[in-house]
Amino acid sequence: RQNATTLHALMEAILAPYRDGPNIDISGADIPIGAGVITNLALLIHEFATNATKYGALSTRAGRVSISVGEHDTDVIFTWSERGGPPVKRRHKEGFGSLLVKTTVDGQLGGRASYDWKPEGLVITLSIPKTRLG
């Protein structure tokens, strides 16, 4: 299959409107992705950025988001880490974002998502099989 773009290029495009100087850092493996998963990944990244802007690290001048991409065995590990935002409060009700992540990551991409509500900032980790990204 033909790869349409890379994960870094997709993140740069989606996150461009949220950039304000050094507030977003993208590092790690630049995984090729196919046309069939671009929309799913774009929606996830946009949802994370929107929530960070409303409630998290991107809602303050000092806030930062670090995104790292790594590979472990047969999976791509995507980690979204926030710091410097307001104190983190775990949201107890499941909203649209939770449903989107569950449907997209668990269902369509065959992966797993986990949330770590650290006091210094939310950390979201996605583990997605490499074979599902092509």
Side-chain angles (χ1 to χ4, degrees):
R1 283 189 283 189
Q2 182 69 28
N3 289 317
T5 189
T6 67
L7 189 51
H8 282 225
L10 179 65
M11 289 190 288
E12 290 290 353
I14 299 299
L15 296 172
Y18 300 93
R19 281 201 182 273
D20 184 14
N23 66 336
I24 298 173
D25 178 61
I26 298 170
S27 64
D30 193 10
I31 308 294
I33 56 174
V37 297
I38 288 176
T39 302
N40 289 337
L41 294 173
L43 282 170
L44 290 172
I45 295 161
H46 182 265
E47 178 66 17
F48 298 160
T50 300
N51 285 342
T53 301
K54 288 182 184 175
Y55 315 109
L58 298 181
S59 69
T60 67
R61 298 280 307 153
R64 301 284 180 265
V65 172
S66 296
I67 304 159
S68 65
V69 181
E71 298 179 66
H72 184 264
D73 295 330
T74 60
D75 292 336
V76 170
I77 310 298
F78 172 99
T79 307
W80 173 283
S81 302
E82 298 184 31
R83 67 187 186 287
V88 173
K89 296 184 188 91
R90 182 174 181 154
R91 301 220 325 259
H92 295 286
K93 70 179 182 83
E94 294 229 337
F96 171 75
S98 301
L99 178 62
L100 177 70
V101 171
K102 194 175 292 182
T103 303
T104 304
V105 178
D106 299 357
Q108 296 167 342
L109 297 174
R112 295 176 310 284
S114 65
Y115 295 81
D116 187 355
W117 303 86
K118 295 182 176 187
E120 63 272 15
L122 173 63
V123 177
I124 304 168
T125 305
L126 307 179
S127 178
I128 301 169
K130 291 177 195 174
T131 57
R132 302 297 282 270
L133 296 176

